Amino acid sequence: MGFYRDTGVVLRLQKLGEADRIVTVLTHRHGKVRAVAKGVRRTSSRFGARLEPFGHVDLQLHTGRSLDIVTQVQTIDAFGGDLTGDYPRYTAGCALLETADRLTSEEGEPARELFLLLVGALRGLAGGTRDPYLVLDAFLLRAMVIAGWAPAITECARCGTEGAPYHRRFSVPAGGAVCEPCRPSGAVVPSEPTWRLLEALRDGDWATAEGTDGAARRDTAGLVAAHLQWHLERTLRSLPLVDRRGGVPRVDLAAGTGLEVDEPSDGPPRAGEPAEGAPRRAVPTDGPLRSERVAR
């Protein structure tokens, strides 16, 4: 039992009793922490307004038996004030928080890289200088790199062969780009600008990313969202709410539509591919990415 101090970003809140809340915070040194903030729902609370989603705060906590207790809070950055008045940026920010929450399932496990990535993404959204959808997709890609789920972009996900500069096809179940000999059924064929945008967002090349058109951004958003949710094995509730304006429609992964799935070819399935008749997981996306059928 004792006190400790850390900085963190408030991810979500839950009501507890008549006046308390359970606060979920992604911290710099202690990973995800769930703590009780007592009395914060009262109008007389000393720090209730500081413990809101998007808040970048300095916390002092007291170690408890099951949940820690928040004893002091100081605001470092109030990102929520800049986001709540702008619906596109607000919805993109909600997707950032939910993704960070899902990727840190174990409480108390260090998540320093993800924390720094989240703070940088929220600062980019609140600053208003970057396209919020590019910020969101860049965060999702880099978060998957940290989690070990990064999609292959310049090399084949199965055999490692380098593209020239890219392979033609992308398969979410296979892990990203695939060459001709390794391509599974259901692989889609993104355009070259989509490949360039995927690489630029992963590497932080904002000059290239901001020079892409709406079609490439739409297809990239669909591929990134589908790849992330395949590995999470669950949908993110906030992604369908992201309002992608400027000719780039939102990624509505709950609509039940998905990519056309190739018919299985004769012979044994490739490694990592379900056998004929086995259930397949849908590979949802948004946009007219083309899939090719494999001849029987």
Side-chain angles (χ1 to χ4, degrees):
M1 302 286 286
F3 292 90
Y4 66 95
R5 199 174 191 93
D6 206 343
T7 58
V9 174
V10 180
L11 302 180
R12 58 190 172 93
L13 306 172
Q14 295 171 270
K15 292 181 180 180
L16 179 66
E18 295 183 357
D20 305 339
R21 277 181 177 152
I22 298 176
V23 185
T24 302
V25 186
L26 180 62
T27 66
H28 190 185
R29 295 186 299 273
H30 297 84
K32 186 164 72 173
V33 173
R34 294 175 70 243
V36 176
K38 295 189 174 181
V40 294
R41 291 162 57 196
R42 296 193 182 102
T43 55
S44 59
S45 172
R46 292 179 294 118
F47 49 74
R50 303 172 193 170
L51 288 174
E52 294 291 337
F54 306 110
H56 182 204
V57 294
D58 186 340
L59 296 163
Q60 179 175 285
L61 302 104
H62 183 264
T63 305
R65 292 183 179 179
S66 57
L67 293 174
D68 296 345
I69 300 172
V70 179
T71 57
Q72 291 183 14
V73 183
Q74 291 182 347
T75 300
I76 300 174
D77 295 296
F79 295 125
D82 296 316
L83 298 179
T84 53
D86 187 317
Y87 184 76
R89 296 184 187 279
Y90 174 76
T91 53
C94 289
L96 298 184
L97 298 188
E98 185 180 359
T99 301
D101 191 13
R102 298 299 186 194
L103 290 178
T104 51
S105 57
E106 295 294 329
E107 296 180 25
E109 293 293 327
R112 182 175 181 272
E113 289 182 283
L114 184 60
F115 167 78
L116 295 175
L117 180 66
L118 178 61
V119 172
L122 289 174
R123 187 168 286 126
L125 281 181
T129 58
R130 303 283 188 199
D131 185 304
Y133 315 120
L134 292 181
V135 173
L136 171 59
D137 294 332
F139 173 83
L140 298 181
L141 269 174
R142 296 184 192 182
M144 285 190 282
V145 172
I146 294 171
W149 300 337
I153 298 175
T154 57
E155 73 284 350
C156 176
R158 288 186 165 176
C159 68
T161 304
E162 290 289 331
Y166 308 106
H167 294 293
R168 290 189 62 216
R169 292 171 175 82
F170 188 103
S171 171
V172 171
V178 285
C179 62
E180 283 296 323
C182 296
R183 74 179 179 106
S185 59
V188 296
V189 185
S191 64
E192 186 170 338
T194 300
W195 286 116
R196 289 201 303 268
L197 180 55
L198 281 168
E199 187 176 21
L201 292 176
R202 184 196 62 186
D203 298 340
D205 183 358
W206 287 101
T208 299
E210 291 172 344
T212 54
D213 59 16
R217 296 186 188 190
R218 176 196 61 219
D219 291 348
T220 297
L223 290 175
V224 170
H227 192 86
L228 173 63
Q229 293 179 119
W230 173 272
H231 286 283
L232 287 176
E233 297 185 342
R234 65 195 308 172
T235 59
L236 294 176
R237 293 178 298 175
S238 54
L239 276 182
L241 302 178
V242 176
D243 182 16
R244 294 180 179 264
R245 298 178 183 175
V248 184
R250 69 183 186 180
V251 180
D252 191 352
L253 296 171
T257 58
L259 290 176
E260 182 181 3
V261 178
D262 290 341
E263 295 178 358
S265 57
D266 293 333
R270 295 187 177 96
E273 188 175 357
E276 184 173 1
R280 292 176 181 267
R281 282 188 283 186
V283 185
T285 187
D286 182 26
L289 287 173
R290 179 165 56 89
S291 62
E292 297 186 351
R293 290 189 174 275
V294 178
R296 285 184 175 271

